């Protein structure tokens, strides 16, 4: 999975930052954007078919913790099974200004059991 995130990081650096973000959110994983670590934004109009998968865990610079990974995988599952949208492109981006993703959450990992 680490190669997956490395490739996503390289891909997102190539995407222009001028892609307009609309407020046409279709579905979230919590009650408000601040509560979610991962959210889905389906663009509309001329950009229909483009989906922004936004990572938002600023305190940990989008480190991969249990909740983050769970929400990320749920978002991917939702996009794969979503019959209402014909997603052509999924862009993974970061709402955290200083980082895309810093890797495993080592603080959380330290408190886990070896089987986790």
């Amino acid at each position: 999975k680490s190669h997956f995130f490395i490739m996503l990081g390289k891909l997102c650096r190539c995407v222009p930052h001028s892609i307009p973000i609309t407020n046409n959110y279709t579905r979230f994983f919590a009650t408000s954007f601040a509560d979610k670590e991962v959210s889905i934004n389906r663009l509309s109009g001329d950009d229909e078919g483009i989906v922004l998968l936004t990572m938002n865990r600023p305190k940990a610079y989008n480190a991969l913790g249990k909740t983050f990974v769970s929400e990320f995988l749920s978002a991917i599952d939702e996009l794969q099974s979503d019959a209402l949208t014909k997603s052509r492109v999924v862009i993974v981006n970061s709402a955290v200004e200083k980082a895309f993703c810093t890797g495993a959450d080592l603080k959380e990992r330290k408190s886990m059991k070896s089987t986790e």
Side-chain angles (χ1 to χ4, degrees):
K1 289 187 178 179
S2 62
H3 293 295
F4 173 74
F5 287 104
I6 291 169
M7 293 304 294
L8 285 175
K10 289 178 182 177
L11 172 67
C12 289
R13 280 187 223 116
C14 298
V15 175
H17 295 290
S18 61
I19 294 175
I21 298 175
T22 64
N23 291 326
N24 298 329
Y25 295 101
T26 302
R27 185 171 174 188
F28 291 115
F29 297 100
T31 56
S32 72
F33 185 74
D35 295 338
K36 292 180 301 301
E37 294 183 3
V38 177
S39 64
I40 294 174
N41 180 9
R42 293 173 178 88
L43 302 184
S44 58
D46 291 341
D47 296 326
E48 189 170 350
I50 299 173
V51 178
L52 297 179
L53 188 60
T54 303
M55 302 180 295
N56 187 31
R57 190 174 180 215
K59 290 181 182 178
Y61 296 103
N62 291 332
L64 304 174
K66 286 182 181 180
T67 302
F68 183 92
V69 171
S70 175
E71 288 182 13
F72 190 90
L73 294 175
S74 293
I76 297 296
D77 288 343
E78 177 180 339
L79 292 172
Q80 286 179 336
S81 63
D82 192 355
L84 299 175
T85 307
K86 302 238 188 298
S87 301
R88 295 177 289 127
V89 176
V90 176
I91 299 172
V92 180
N93 67 339
S94 174
V96 178
E97 194 170 308
K98 295 182 180 181
F100 177 73
C101 179
T102 57
D105 187 337
L106 298 179
K107 290 179 183 176
E108 186 176 293
R109 181 71 185 129
K110 188 176 183 178
S111 65
M112 291 179 176
K113 299 175 185 174
S114 61
T115 57
E116 296 177 290

